Amino acid sequence: MKIVIVGGVAGGATAAARIRRLDEQAEIVVFERSGYMSYANCGLPYYIGDVITDEEELTLQTPESFFSRFRVTVKVRHEVIAIYPDRKTVTVKDLERGATFEESYDKLLLAPGARPTVPRVAGLDSDRLFTLRTVEDTLRIKQYIETSRPRSAVLAGGGFIGVELAENLRELGIEVTVVQRPRQLLTPFDPDMAAFLHAELRRYGVKLLLGRSVEGFAEAAEGVAAQLDCGETLHADMAILAMGVTPDTALAKNAGLALGIKGSILVNDKMETSVPDIYAVGDAVQVKNAVTGEDALISLAGPANKQGRIAADNICGGNSRYRGSQGSSVIKIFDLTAATTGLNESAAKKAGLAVDKIILSPMSHAGYYPGGSVMTVKVIFEKQTYRLLGAQIVGREGVDKRIDVLATAIHAGVKATDLKDLDLAYAPPYSSAKDPVNMAGFMIDNIASGTLKQWHVEELPTLLARSDVTLLDTRTRREYAMGHIEGFLNIPVDELRERLAELPVGKPVYVICQSGLRSYIATRILEGNGYTAYNFSGGFRFYATVMQDRALIQKATPCGMDQ
């Protein structure tokens, strides 16, 4: 059996190695149009930022090492330009020599990936304008920085690559401005959680221009001018397009394969396309969202590698199935780690689900053990059924551990209320006896039993306008004096029982504290004394971060840039 693979990075290289492990006799040929195979896309920004200093570390394999280990022929700088399913051949162009030739196959696997999304605007030919997708792109940016010593950069786009680039460029001492059309960065996160990420970027001097877009570029004196939709112009020494990616599927389209969202390749759960003996994997394919079952595009390395393995199994006569993507991801942003899995609140509502949420601020490990830090955890679940839908976490340590537990719980169908029962490892340097994931489960279980009633930040304007409620801040007098919401009465929680007479009887009480714990205790005191009480989800720390972020987005130059 002869297998031809188009694309030799994540999905393609994984599939090639798996096929060889399953079939020692198969002939396997990989065509990769770049000059590198099996390279670490996710590591590219860190090479630019001198975190990874050896260029060779970006490539996990070379054509020579791959052949030595697996006896797979890898031809880099070779682009497949046409597929002929009727005669089972592909046309290949040797990009070094310019010659073309035909290659036959018994099975064909497409792993072309995605290409950087490039808007149709003027000035794209500037030699100071870059994209980042391949090793070659990385080397061009690196060389420009080393030879031209830019002092400033504009990044058009605030997704994962854009934010990682912003961090790495800033660490090199370059002034960075990020322009993003949505009013937040990293849209897999909800705006309230993104507020913490914005704050960290601002803390390190990254300027954010949110709710705006770049409409063109022009050469400027010793630099480039990015023209914004509001009519203003940003001048910088270099600019990078980081607006996301688009499935690279012209080859599949021309061959008559069925296409899906944004021209992606349609595949079934065995990674088979609409044409017999042709499979497809990675960023180019349409998948199912594992939570909603809806069609989705999820461009991440983990799913691509899994799909490559599944396609290989089926090419070799197996019966492996792909169950869909949750979109689990994690990112470093200076001193913070941010991670997400499943649906965020916005996506869950868009999918028509009746959702609820909790927000908590646990310590990363036992409070009495030195070095702990606060995390912000948001868990999304379905009302009534308590089906776990998604989670987002921002913190300094322990974030990746908790998001992986929650991702596993979603995959396994664990109910949100059952998070309290998970038997998780504990030692003071790593966690608390009641792990943050368990704490989330306790809170959701309290909601299910009626022990906890919540209110959220989006309800505040309505509450402030009502005269039939009592607003109560249960922090200390010192905390209250350092900042509070106007209209909230301050009674510290430890004085509440003695001061109940100050609260009108018959009015529901909406309570807040710094993190949500003391205010929860206050609600139990109030409920035990005949009041109806609601606890603020997230605490004043969460409220202050969200409000400050909103204010900074509003307070701006005419274009909306942070001051």
Side-chain angles (χ1 to χ4, degrees), residues 446-447 449-453 472 474 493 496-497 500 509 511 516-535:
N446 281 339
I447 291 171
S449 67
T451 304
L452 171 63
K453 292 186 283 290
L472 178 64
T474 58
V493 65
L496 183 57
R497 290 182 179 89
L500 286 173
V509 185
V511 192
L517 176 58
R518 284 173 289 172
S519 52
Y520 169 63
I521 294 169
T523 64
R524 299 313 305 147
I525 294 170
L526 291 165
E527 293 273 350
N529 284 277
Y531 291 86
T532 299
Y534 297 83
N535 188 35

Coordinates of all heavy atoms in Angstrom, one line a residue, residues 446-447 449-453 472 474 493 496-497 500 509 511 516-535:
N446 N -24.3 23.7 46.1 CA -25.1 24.6 46.9 C -26.2 25.3 46.1 O -27.3 25.5 46.6 CB -24.2 25.6 47.6 CG -23.5 25.1 48.8 OD1 -23.9 24.1 49.4 ND2 -22.4 25.7 49.1
I447 N -25.9 25.6 44.8 CA -26.9 26.3 44.0 C -28.0 25.2 43.7 O -29.2 25.6 43.8 CB -26.3 26.7 42.7 CG1 -25.4 27.9 42.9 CG2 -27.4 27.1 41.6 CD1 -24.5 28.3 41.7
S449 N -29.0 22.8 45.5 CA -29.8 22.5 46.7 C -30.6 23.7 47.2 O -31.4 23.6 48.1 CB -28.9 22.0 47.8 OG -28.0 23.0 48.3
G450 N -30.3 24.9 46.7 CA -30.9 26.1 47.1 C -30.2 26.8 48.2 O -30.6 27.9 48.7
T451 N -29.1 26.3 48.6 CA -28.3 26.9 49.7 C -27.6 28.2 49.3 O -27.4 29.1 50.1 CB -27.2 25.9 50.2 OG1 -27.9 24.6 50.6 CG2 -26.4 26.4 51.4
L452 N -27.3 28.3 48.0 CA -26.6 29.4 47.5 C -27.5 30.1 46.4 O -27.9 29.4 45.4 CB -25.2 29.1 46.9 CG -24.5 30.2 46.1 CD1 -24.2 31.4 47.0 CD2 -23.2 29.6 45.5
K453 N -27.7 31.3 46.5 CA -28.4 32.1 45.5 C -27.3 33.2 45.1 O -26.7 33.8 46.0 CB -29.7 32.8 45.9 CG -30.8 31.7 46.2 CD -32.1 32.4 46.5 CE -32.1 32.9 47.9 NZ -32.2 31.8 48.9
L472 N -25.3 45.2 50.4 CA -24.5 45.0 51.6 C -23.1 44.6 51.2 O -22.9 43.6 50.5 CB -25.1 44.0 52.5 CG -24.4 43.6 53.8 CD1 -24.3 44.8 54.7 CD2 -25.0 42.4 54.5
T474 N -19.7 43.2 53.0 CA -19.3 42.6 54.3 C -17.8 42.6 54.5 O -17.3 41.8 55.3 CB -19.9 41.2 54.4 OG1 -19.4 40.4 53.3 CG2 -21.4 41.2 54.3
V493 N -18.6 41.1 58.1 CA -19.3 39.9 58.3 C -19.3 39.5 59.8 O -20.3 38.9 60.3 CB -18.8 38.7 57.4 CG1 -17.3 38.4 57.8 CG2 -19.6 37.5 57.5
L496 N -22.1 41.1 61.7 CA -23.4 41.1 61.1 C -24.5 40.6 62.0 O -25.6 41.2 62.1 CB -23.4 40.2 59.8 CG -24.7 40.1 59.0 CD1 -25.1 41.5 58.6 CD2 -24.5 39.2 57.8
R497 N -24.3 39.6 62.8 CA -25.4 39.1 63.7 C -25.8 40.1 64.7 O -27.0 40.2 65.0 CB -24.8 37.8 64.4 CG -24.6 36.6 63.5 CD -24.2 35.4 64.4 NE -24.0 34.2 63.6 CZ -22.9 33.8 62.9 NH1 -21.8 34.7 63.0 NH2 -22.9 32.7 62.2
L500 N -28.0 43.1 62.7 CA -29.1 42.8 61.8 C -30.2 43.8 61.8 O -30.9 44.0 60.8 CB -29.7 41.4 62.1 CG -28.8 40.2 61.7 CD1 -29.4 38.9 62.3 CD2 -28.7 40.1 60.2
V509 N -31.5 40.9 50.3 CA -30.2 41.5 50.5 C -29.2 40.9 49.5 O -29.1 39.7 49.3 CB -29.7 41.2 51.9 CG1 -28.4 41.9 52.2 CG2 -30.7 41.6 53.0
V511 N -25.3 40.7 48.6 CA -24.1 40.8 49.4 C -22.9 40.7 48.5 O -22.8 39.9 47.6 CB -24.1 39.7 50.5 CG1 -23.1 40.0 51.5 CG2 -25.5 39.6 51.1
G516 N -15.8 36.5 47.7 CA -17.1 35.8 47.6 C -17.3 34.8 48.8 O -18.4 34.3 49.0
L517 N -16.2 34.6 49.6 CA -16.3 33.7 50.7 C -17.1 34.3 51.9 O -18.0 33.7 52.4 CB -14.9 33.2 51.1 CG -14.9 32.3 52.4 CD1 -15.8 31.0 52.1 CD2 -13.5 31.9 52.7
R518 N -16.6 35.5 52.4 CA -17.2 36.1 53.5 C -18.7 36.5 53.2 O -19.6 36.4 54.1 CB -16.4 37.3 53.9 CG -15.2 37.0 54.7 CD -14.3 38.2 55.0 NE -13.7 38.7 53.7 CZ -13.0 39.9 53.7 NH1 -13.0 40.7 54.7 NH2 -12.5 40.3 52.5
S519 N -18.9 36.9 52.0 CA -20.3 37.3 51.6 C -21.2 36.0 51.6 O -22.4 36.1 51.9 CB -20.3 38.0 50.2 OG -19.6 37.3 49.2
Y520 N -20.6 34.9 51.2 CA -21.4 33.6 51.3 C -21.8 33.3 52.7 O -22.9 33.0 53.0 CB -20.6 32.5 50.6 CG -21.3 31.1 50.9 CD1 -22.6 30.8 50.4 CD2 -20.6 30.2 51.7 CE1 -23.2 29.6 50.7 CE2 -21.2 29.0 52.0 CZ -22.5 28.7 51.5 OH -23.1 27.5 51.7
I521 N -20.8 33.5 53.6 CA -21.1 33.2 55.0 C -22.2 34.2 55.5 O -23.1 33.8 56.2 CB -19.8 33.4 55.9 CG1 -18.8 32.3 55.5 CG2 -20.1 33.4 57.4 CD1 -17.4 32.5 56.1
A522 N -22.1 35.4 55.0 CA -23.1 36.4 55.4 C -24.5 36.0 54.9 O -25.5 36.2 55.6 CB -22.7 37.8 54.8
T523 N -24.6 35.5 53.7 CA -25.9 35.1 53.2 C -26.5 33.9 54.0 O -27.7 33.9 54.2 CB -25.8 34.6 51.7 OG1 -25.0 33.4 51.6 CG2 -25.3 35.7 50.8
R524 N -25.6 33.1 54.5 CA -26.1 32.0 55.4 C -26.6 32.5 56.7 O -27.7 32.1 57.3 CB -25.1 30.9 55.6 CG -24.5 30.2 54.4 CD -25.7 29.8 53.5 NE -26.6 28.9 54.2 CZ -27.9 28.9 53.9 NH1 -28.4 29.6 52.9 NH2 -28.7 28.1 54.6
I525 N -25.9 33.6 57.3 CA -26.4 34.2 58.5 C -27.7 34.9 58.2 O -28.7 34.7 59.0 CB -25.4 35.3 59.0 CG1 -24.1 34.6 59.4 CG2 -26.0 36.1 60.1 CD1 -22.9 35.5 59.7
L526 N -27.8 35.6 57.1 CA -29.1 36.3 56.8 C -30.2 35.3 56.5 O -31.3 35.5 57.1 CB -28.9 37.2 55.5 CG -27.9 38.4 55.7 CD1 -27.5 38.9 54.4 CD2 -28.6 39.4 56.6
E527 N -30.0 34.2 55.8 CA -31.0 33.3 55.5 C -31.5 32.6 56.8 O -32.7 32.3 57.0 CB -30.5 32.2 54.5 CG -30.2 32.7 53.1 CD -31.4 32.6 52.2 OE1 -32.5 32.1 52.6 OE2 -31.4 33.2 51.1
G528 N -30.5 32.4 57.7 CA -30.9 31.8 59.0 C -31.7 32.7 59.9 O -32.3 32.3 60.9
N529 N -31.7 34.0 59.6 CA -32.5 34.9 60.3 C -33.7 35.5 59.6 O -34.2 36.6 59.9 CB -31.6 36.1 60.8 CG -30.7 35.7 61.9 OD1 -31.1 35.7 63.1 ND2 -29.4 35.3 61.6
G530 N -34.1 34.8 58.6 CA -35.4 35.1 57.9 C -35.2 36.0 56.7 O -36.3 36.4 56.1
Y531 N -34.0 36.4 56.3 CA -33.8 37.2 55.1 C -33.7 36.3 53.8 O -33.2 35.2 53.9 CB -32.6 38.1 55.2 CG -32.7 39.2 56.3 CD1 -32.4 38.9 57.6 CD2 -33.1 40.5 55.9 CE1 -32.5 39.9 58.6 CE2 -33.2 41.5 56.9 CZ -32.9 41.2 58.2 OH -33.0 42.2 59.1
T532 N -33.9 36.9 52.7 CA -33.5 36.3 51.4 C -32.3 37.0 50.9 O -32.2 38.2 50.8 CB -34.6 36.5 50.3 OG1 -35.8 35.8 50.8 CG2 -34.2 35.8 49.0
A533 N -31.2 36.2 50.7 CA -29.9 36.8 50.4 C -29.3 36.2 49.2 O -29.4 35.0 48.9 CB -29.0 36.6 51.6
Y534 N -28.6 37.1 48.4 CA -27.9 36.7 47.2 C -26.4 37.0 47.3 O -26.1 38.2 47.8 CB -28.5 37.4 46.0 CG -29.9 37.1 45.8 CD1 -31.0 37.7 46.5 CD2 -30.3 36.1 44.8 CE1 -32.3 37.4 46.2 CE2 -31.6 35.8 44.6 CZ -32.6 36.4 45.3 OH -33.9 36.1 45.1
N535 N -25.5 36.1 46.9 CA -24.1 36.3 47.0 C -23.5 36.8 45.6 O -23.9 36.2 44.6 CB -23.4 35.0 47.4 CG -21.9 35.3 47.7 OD1 -21.5 36.3 48.2 ND2 -21.1 34.3 47.4

